[in-house]
Amino acid sequence: MTDEPVVITAYPDGPLLVRGAAELRTPDGQEVARTRRTVALCRCGLSTIKPFCDGTHKAAGFRTDD
Ligand code: FES
């Protein structure tokens, strides 16, 4: 971990973009490996590579509240 702040940005009609050295964990506490400093987390529930976004939200017409 670094002192760099973690920034999470919710993209309209899309994923949560996580920038910085955040640890990702499964509900039972297992660490989720990440290979990039910026990752997109699925919030539509349709990705085939959960917890990461694979772009399926676009084809599915996923919409978020404004
Ligand atoms: S938010 Fe992109 S696939 Fe779910």
Side-chain angles (χ1 to χ4, degrees):
M1 285 290 174
T2 67
D3 291 336
E4 176 186 355
V6 173
V7 177
I8 301 174
T9 306
Y11 274 79
D13 306 332
L16 299 174
L17 225 60
V18 180
R19 294 184 176 92
E23 289 184 10
L24 302 178
R25 301 229 176 231
T26 64
D28 62 355
Q30 301 286 324
E31 185 168 353
V32 176
R34 53 183 282 191
T35 57
R36 300 178 180 180
R37 290 200 58 75
T38 299
V39 294
L41 298 180
C42 176
R43 63 177 172 156
C44 74
L46 300 172
S47 175
T48 60
I49 56 168
K50 293 179 187 113
F52 303 108
C53 169
D54 68 357
T56 301
H57 62 271
K58 289 182 187 172
F62 176 67
R63 296 285 179 258
T64 55
D65 294 334
D66 291 330

